[in-house]
């Protein structure tokens, strides 16, 4: 009996996970920590968080154009600016997690900020509003209550963005950390984790869009904002329930990855005048080989790209190995730090060429919704669906397609390609980009038909009239958007998590999220420029408040063309890219 007890109590006889500890700070036992049990708690948290986020964002443009009385173009710009900020703040959240708090504590504190923001947002909707049917110029003097409502609303909205910025990069990385990439079985489970993660949050977003948009359109905005707040409160509770089961990455006693990488670029810039001969002498003195790092990241047979890449990532970053100004004083970067900076920098071409997809992604919650608001939304007598509710078809497509992708497509593709994931990550991303281009073309064709219908029925000058064309005409463009997400969104998540060193994974996921942040800002910028260029001299712009006199179809064709150009650039770089892990190529 004593022998049996000592065997059970001795952690040395159990398989431990390298680089991970349990909630007591002891080596994490594989049998008693992590895996799908822990990941399920974390997926549950993200399901609730996405319910809260989409409960606000899905119908936000309706609140801005209705209750706050903004124009269509201004509301779209504000929605894009907010969603862009929410997508860029994860860079700050990842920095805080990696440098100070760790992922677990960052999630807890970010959740509290999130809940506070949602509570204040609900309070702002309870204040008396002064909505108008036309755009309220900022020069018009508004009542004090309306000013207070607007100030509190935007303060609360951006407080939610701050909470999401700390929550988003850490939760997904923390969930993936529950699987050991060095273990063959857990490595396969980790690949499925990204699929089921997106399955869960898509289902949550679908429910949020249906429930919140209906409540906001038919009952009250305060209740429509309050329910997401309660969902976020429950999310924090679910997360805390799993505390004893999680694997926690061992935090090394070293500087933040952000600071190390930043210093490499700063020192390299400071030493940009360093001659190749001086650098070679320094490398010889330090016992490193010239161009060693650059050759590690060679790019296939693409000699032009390879030459540029070596110039930027090789010898230039190697200058960070030299003391500033050639002195022996000051902080000199180590070879490992230079390698980390290079590992991040080599992702830049994929990051940049994914922006075309991100700009298209921004349209589903803005102009798609405004299109639907002008159409016949009657499903059966006495019941009209909210225009924003059509976004549920994105989630439904993802929910239906991910199991097919994971259980049918991947095994079939694996049989032909002999690759663990069926197709490479970059092939998956590129497939989604193609679908997004088709999506914009379909959206443009449907909008052309809507405009033609409005003209045939003499509704061009009647902005409040319902165009006798079913809102279900918009379903294909939402379905295509969902199918594109299954390929590109999930692929980008896995790519930016997998293609960076383990200690930089929060940075990698923050970079992935920043694609959509920058894409939203670019979308806002495009709308602003086009609004100014096409609305001069008393003409109706492409985004006129009266959509029957606007030209969203032109905008969609423009996005299709831009996305095609971005896809061509992406294929150029993706074809030359060499993965840094065998299980992903």
């Amino acid at each position: 009996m004593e022998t049996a007890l000592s065997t059970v109590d001795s952690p040395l006889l159990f398989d431990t996970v390298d680089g991970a500890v349990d909630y007591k700070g002891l080596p994490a036992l594989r049998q008693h920590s992590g895996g799908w049990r822990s990941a399920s708690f974390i997926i549950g948290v993200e399901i609730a968080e996405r319910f809260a986020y989409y409960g606000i964002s899905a119908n936000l443009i309706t609140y801005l154009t209705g209750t706050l009385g903004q124009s269509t173009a201004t509301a779209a710009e504000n929605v894009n600016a907010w969603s862009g900020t929410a997508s860029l703040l994860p860079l700050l959240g990842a920095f805080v997690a990696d440098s100070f708090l760790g992922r677990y504590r960052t999630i807890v504190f970010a959740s509290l900020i999130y809940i506070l923001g949602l509570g204040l947002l609900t309070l702002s909707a309870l204040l008396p509003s002064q909505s108008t049917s036309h755009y309220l110029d900022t020069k018009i003097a508004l009542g004090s209550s309306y000013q207070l409502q607007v100030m509190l609303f935007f303060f609360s909205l951006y407080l939610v963005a701050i909470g999401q910025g700390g929550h988003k990069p850490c939760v997904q990385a923390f969930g993936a950390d529950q699987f050991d990439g060095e273990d063959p079985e857990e490595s396969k489970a980790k690949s499925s984790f990204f699929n089921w993660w997106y399955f869960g949050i898509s289902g949550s977003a679908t429910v949020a869009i249906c429930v919140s948009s209906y409540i906001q359109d038919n009952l009250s905005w305060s209740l429509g904002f309050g329910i997401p707040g309660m969902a976020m409160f429950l999310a924090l509770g679910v997360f805390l329930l799993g505390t004893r089961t999680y694997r926690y990455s061992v935090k090394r006693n070293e500087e933040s990855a952000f600071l190390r990488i930043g210093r490499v670029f700063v020192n390299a810039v400071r030493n940009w005048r360093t001659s190749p001969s001086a650098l070679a002498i320094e490398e010889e003195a330090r016992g490193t080989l010239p161009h060693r790092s650059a050759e590690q990241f060679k790019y296939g047979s693409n000699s032009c790209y390879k030459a540029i890449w070596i110039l930027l990532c090789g010898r230039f970053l190697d200058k960070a190995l030299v003391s500033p100004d050639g002195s022996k004083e000051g902080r000199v970067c180590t070879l490992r730090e230079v390698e980390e900076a290079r590992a991040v920098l080599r992702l830049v071409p994929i990051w940049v060429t994914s922006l075309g997809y991100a700009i298209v992604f921004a349209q589903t919650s803005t102009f798609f919704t405004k299109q639907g608001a002008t159409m016949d939304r009657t499903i059966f007598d006495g019941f009209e669906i909210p225009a924003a509710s059509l976004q549920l078809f994105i989630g439904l497509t993802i929910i239906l397609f991910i199991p097919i992708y994971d259980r049918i497509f991947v095994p079939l593709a694996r049989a032909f390609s002999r690759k663990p994931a069926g197709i490479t990550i970059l092939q998956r991303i590129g497939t989604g980009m193609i679908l997004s281009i088709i999506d914009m073309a379909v959206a443009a064709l449907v909008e052309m038909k809507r405009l033609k219908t409005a003209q045939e029925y003499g509704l061009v000058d009647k902005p409040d009239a319902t165009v006798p064309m079913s809102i279900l005409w918009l379903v294909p463009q939402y379905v295509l958007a969902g199918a594109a997400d299954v390929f590109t969104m999930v692929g980008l998540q896995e790519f930016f998590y997998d293609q960076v060193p383990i200690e930089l994974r929060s940075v990698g996921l923050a970079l992935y999220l920043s694609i959509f942040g920058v894409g939203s800002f670019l979308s806002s910028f495009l709308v602003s420029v086009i609004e100014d260029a096409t609305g001069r001299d008393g003409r109706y712009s492409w985004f006129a408040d009266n959509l029957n006199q606007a030209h969203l179809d032109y905008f969609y064709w423009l996005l299709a063309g831009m996305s095609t150009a971005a896809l061509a650039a992406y294929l150029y770089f993706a074809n030359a890219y060499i993965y840094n892990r065998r299980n992903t190529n």
Side-chain angles (χ1 to χ4, degrees), residues 4 7 70 90 111 121 125 146 159 238 294 415 423 439:
T7 300
Q70 295 185 341
S111 297
L121 197 65
Y146 180 77
L159 200 61
V238 170
I423 58 176
D439 183 27

Side-chain angles (χ1 to χ4, degrees), residues 194-204 395 398-400 402-403 490:
F194 285 99
N195 287 329
W196 291 106
W197 169 275
Y198 207 67
F199 176 87
I201 65 177
S202 297
S204 176
I398 294 169
I399 291 170
L400 293 173
I402 280 184
V490 180

